[in-house]
């Protein structure tokens, strides 16, 4: 018999891998007395369509290391009743995945059950043992020894396969952006669920913080894409903080959204980090109207409500007297506002840079319609693709990073002394920039999500 004809020999315990689930090293107990193989799993939840149901679950592959969690998902093959060694019957989900052991790989059926108290995260039943394999019950680790050390290296991230994700889009609107996110995600095999932010309610406690929606607890999502409207920023970011509390990856964090929405705070952050912007002034007292006008110039001036969006609440005052009148009117409404210098050389044009995961993936030039100085597309502005300069790219990337935003629309003006940042938008629309540039921005976003949900290496414990 040649070496290649030698049957695979298994001891009563072996190192195995389940590459299809992103588990490169597991200790398995080989038990020919059990019919079905079992894998340790918790937070087991179904998702997907009725015709093609999937199951999402988490695994602690290393006994005693609850800080290491590998998120997995797979199509459901069956659901069957399994009787454990202590005689208890349990209805378990059954999946199919490849078992790698001793240089061979073979598809096997695996049931999912919580084996958190067991010394072995996997039990290898007789159904998984091929006809030409030999089990030696008195021996152990007959095959290549693997190591849990892989979970402390970047290789654990590289070993993670592409898998179907369950993703929530926090949005109250059925608009182009929301529909594009759903379509692009589903085309990749993910399940995308649109959640009305204001319909969420929360159970806040130390042991089991939860988010509920329409009478039921929301499942665990692999990622959340927040599309929180400006009118519900406070409550929307509270909901997002709850997702952050339970460890869900959020494309944009609650702190970044809050800071970018507060225009005064945002400009102060930008100034602290030496990012160019139009000369800006703010004051609370009516006695300082002339003083803040003097800080930014005599005119023309831009007076901007702190809560303004899509160009609403932004006024151009051609003269100092006009600026005084607008400021008095805003003060009469008890509104908070900024006063900024007007960049004449921009000539009614600005640049929108779309930043995804630290890269400018698309850029467009927006030109104001008619005599309007505002170039917002919602106000009749027109858009076209544009090549941005190195300085503009750096300003956009630095600004998005400053607010910790994985998805940001950064608006810039072209001035004689370089780019001037106007705003960092944490919920940028996709329609205008996709149509103007022909770029699939949604695809770039899902590329980033798929990268970020891969498992992260954990620190190796001393003496392990």
């Amino acid at each position: 018999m040649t070496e290649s004809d030698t049957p695979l020999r298994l001891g009563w315990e072996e190192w195995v891998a389940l590459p299809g689930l992103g588990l490169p090293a597991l200790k398995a107990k080989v038990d020919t007395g059990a019919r079905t193989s079992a894998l340790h799993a918790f937070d087991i939840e179904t998702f997907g369509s009725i015709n093609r149901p999937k199951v999402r679950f988490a695994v602690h592959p290393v006994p005693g290391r609850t800080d290491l969690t590998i998120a997995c998902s797979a199509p459901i093959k069956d659901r069957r009743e399994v009787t454990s060694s202590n005689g208890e019957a349990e209805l378990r989900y059954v999946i199919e995945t490849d078992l790698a052991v001793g240089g061979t790989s073979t598809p096997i059926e695996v049931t999912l059950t919580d084996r958190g108290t067991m010394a072995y995260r996997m039990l290898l039943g007789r159904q998984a043992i091929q006809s030409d394999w030999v089990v030696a019950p008195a021996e152990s680790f007959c095959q290549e020894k693997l190591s849990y050390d892989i979970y402390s290296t970047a290789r654990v991230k590289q070993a993670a396969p592409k898998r179907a994700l369950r993703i929530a889009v926090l949005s109250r609107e059925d608009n182009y952006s929301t529909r594009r996110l759903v379509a692009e995600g589903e085309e990749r095999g993910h399940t995308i669920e649109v959640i009305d932010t204001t319909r969420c309610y929360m159970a806040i406690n130390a042991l089991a913080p939860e988010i509920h929606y329409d009478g039921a607890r929301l499942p665990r999502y692999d990622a959340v894409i927040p599309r929180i409207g400006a009118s519900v920023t406070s409550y929307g970011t509270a909901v997002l903080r709850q997702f952050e509390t339970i460890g869900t990856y959020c494309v944009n964090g609650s702190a970044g959204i809050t800071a970018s929405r507060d225009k005064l705070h945002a400009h102060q952050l930008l100034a602290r980090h030496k990012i160019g912007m139009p000369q800006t002034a703010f004051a609370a007292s009516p006695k300082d109207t002339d003083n803040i006008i003097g800080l930014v110039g005599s005119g023309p001036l831009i007076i901007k409500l702190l809560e303004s969006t899509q160009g609403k609440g932004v006024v151009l005052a051609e003269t100092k007297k006009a600026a005084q009148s607008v400021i008095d009117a805003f003060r009469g409404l008890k509104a908070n506002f900024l006063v900024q210098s007007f960049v004449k050389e921009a000539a009614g044009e600005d640049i929108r840079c779309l930043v995804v995961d630290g890269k400018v993936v698309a850029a467009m030039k927006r030109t104001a319609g008619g005599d309007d100085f505002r170039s917002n597309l919602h106000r009749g502005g027109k858009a076209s693709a544009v090549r941005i300069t190195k300085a503009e790219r750096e300003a956009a990337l630095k600004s998005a990073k400053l607010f910790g935003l994985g998805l940001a629309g950064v608006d810039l003006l072209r001035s004689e002394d370089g780019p001037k940042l106007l705003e960092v938008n944490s919920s940028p629309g996709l329609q205008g920039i996709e149509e103007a540039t022909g770029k699939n921005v949604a695809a770039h976003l899902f590329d980033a999500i798929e990268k970020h949900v891969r498992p992260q290496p954990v620190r190796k414990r001393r003496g392990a």
Side-chain angles (χ1 to χ4, degrees):
M1 180 180 290
T2 65
E3 186 177 342
S4 60
D5 295 328
T6 303
L8 185 73
R9 190 177 184 84
L10 300 179
W12 69 270
E13 57 179 347
E14 289 292 344
W15 283 96
V16 302
L18 301 177
L21 298 177
L23 298 167
L26 290 171
K27 278 185 183 177
K29 180 180 179 182
V30 180
D31 186 356
T32 55
R35 179 171 179 269
T36 311
S37 299
L39 175 66
H40 164 63
F42 63 99
D43 284 343
I44 302 170
E45 294 177 328
T46 59
F47 68 106
S49 65
I50 296 175
N51 297 329
R52 301 179 67 184
K54 304 180 186 76
V55 61
R56 183 189 184 279
F57 56 97
V59 178
H60 292 318
V62 182
R65 293 296 303 265
T66 55
D67 59 324
L68 171 62
T69 301
I70 305 295
C72 309
S73 62
I76 296 172
K77 187 171 184 181
D78 194 10
R79 196 177 189 194
R80 65 177 70 130
E81 190 174 272
V82 178
T83 302
S84 61
S85 57
N86 61 10
E88 293 184 0
E90 180 186 16
L91 197 59
R92 299 180 187 173
Y93 290 106
V94 181
I95 65 171
E96 186 175 271
T97 191
D98 286 340
L99 171 75
V101 58
T104 67
S105 180
T106 186
I108 65 168
E109 286 187 354
V110 176
T111 65
L112 304 176
T113 185
D114 193 336
R115 296 176 57 86
T117 60
M118 305 291 186
Y120 297 89
R121 290 310 193 224
M122 186 172 184
L123 183 143
L124 206 60
R126 62 178 180 270
Q127 274 189 337
I129 298 169
Q130 305 302 297
S131 59
D132 58 344
W133 294 4
V134 174
V135 178
E139 300 177 28
S140 65
F141 302 122
C142 298
Q143 298 303 317
E144 176 190 4
K145 183 182 178 183
L146 305 176
S147 173
Y148 289 139
D149 288 352
I150 192 171
Y151 295 109
S152 300
T153 70
R155 285 183 295 162
V156 67
K157 198 169 185 178
Q158 297 160 3
K162 282 193 173 183
R163 62 185 179 91
L165 304 177
R166 188 173 196 172
I167 299 172
V169 178
L170 293 183
S171 176
R172 300 171 66 210
E173 298 183 18
D174 178 23
N175 56 22
Y176 175 93
S177 298
T178 301
R179 291 192 296 272
R180 277 289 294 123
L181 292 171
V182 172
E184 182 66 31
E186 290 182 345
E187 188 175 326
R188 291 168 174 245
H190 305 316
T191 296
I192 313 297
E193 299 171 20
V194 180
I195 305 295
D196 183 338
T197 319
T198 58
R199 293 288 310 282
C200 295
Y201 53 102
M202 297 162 278
I204 303 171
N205 59 72
L207 295 178
E210 295 177 338
I211 305 169
H212 291 251
Y213 183 82
D214 201 19
R217 181 184 67 83
L218 282 176
R220 284 192 174 266
Y221 292 102
D222 292 289
V224 170
I225 305 173
R227 304 283 308 172
I228 298 169
S231 62
V232 294
T233 297
S234 179
Y235 191 76
T237 52
V239 172
L240 200 57
R241 281 195 298 274
Q242 192 80 344
F243 278 110
E244 293 168 337
T245 299
I246 62 178
T248 306
Y249 168 65
C250 300
V251 170
N252 285 341
S254 58
I257 294 174
T258 301
S260 65
R261 289 277 169 82
D262 182 338
K263 285 185 169 55
L264 177 58
H265 183 197
H267 280 78
Q268 289 173 320
L269 280 175
L270 294 167
R272 184 191 307 170
H273 289 83
K274 313 299 182 186
I275 298 173
M277 69 185 82
Q279 184 72 25
T280 303
F282 173 82
S285 171
K287 296 179 181 179
D288 292 317
T289 296
D290 288 344
N291 292 330
I292 60 174
I293 291 175
L295 286 176
V296 298
S298 58
L301 300 175
I302 299 292
I303 299 138
K304 183 184 298 185
L305 289 175
L306 294 187
E307 298 81 16
S308 64
T309 60
Q310 298 176 351
K312 299 172 184 175
V314 181
V315 179
L316 171 63
E318 295 282 0
T319 64
K320 179 179 178 179
K321 188 172 183 180
Q324 291 170 330
S325 298
V326 173
I327 289 171
D328 289 344
F330 280 174
R331 288 202 192 283
L333 297 172
K334 299 187 183 302
N336 293 313
F337 56 88
L338 296 173
V339 179
Q340 290 185 322
S341 59
F342 180 62
V343 182
K344 292 181 181 180
E345 59 268 31
E349 294 181 344
D350 72 8
I351 306 295
R352 161 64 63 91
C353 297
L354 209 294
V355 180
V356 175
D357 195 32
K359 296 179 182 177
V360 177
V361 299
M364 65 177 174
K365 179 171 67 175
R366 300 182 298 189
T367 304
D371 296 327
D372 201 333
F373 70 98
R374 295 164 293 186
S375 56
N376 304 75
L377 301 185
H378 290 85
R379 309 199 69 82
K382 296 181 180 179
S384 59
V386 67
R387 287 181 63 88
I388 58 175
T389 66
K390 181 181 178 181
E392 290 164 349
R393 184 179 303 276
E394 288 176 350
L397 295 179
K398 189 174 181 180
S399 302
K401 184 178 181 180
L402 173 61
F403 291 97
L405 299 176
L407 171 66
V410 181
D411 297 339
L412 305 162
L413 290 177
R414 286 178 164 170
S415 75
E416 292 174 348
D417 56 344
K420 301 292 186 185
L421 197 137
L422 289 176
E423 184 179 13
V424 179
N425 192 323
S426 61
S427 294
L430 304 185
Q431 184 171 9
I433 199 158
E434 285 196 336
E435 291 178 351
T437 65
K439 301 283 185 68
N440 188 340
V441 172
H444 286 287
L445 180 60
F446 280 102
D447 286 343
I449 291 171
E450 290 164 2
K451 182 183 79 174
H452 277 275
V453 298
R454 288 174 174 267
Q456 299 295 321
V458 293
R459 180 173 297 179
K460 186 179 177 181
R461 288 184 177 172
R462 291 181 180 177

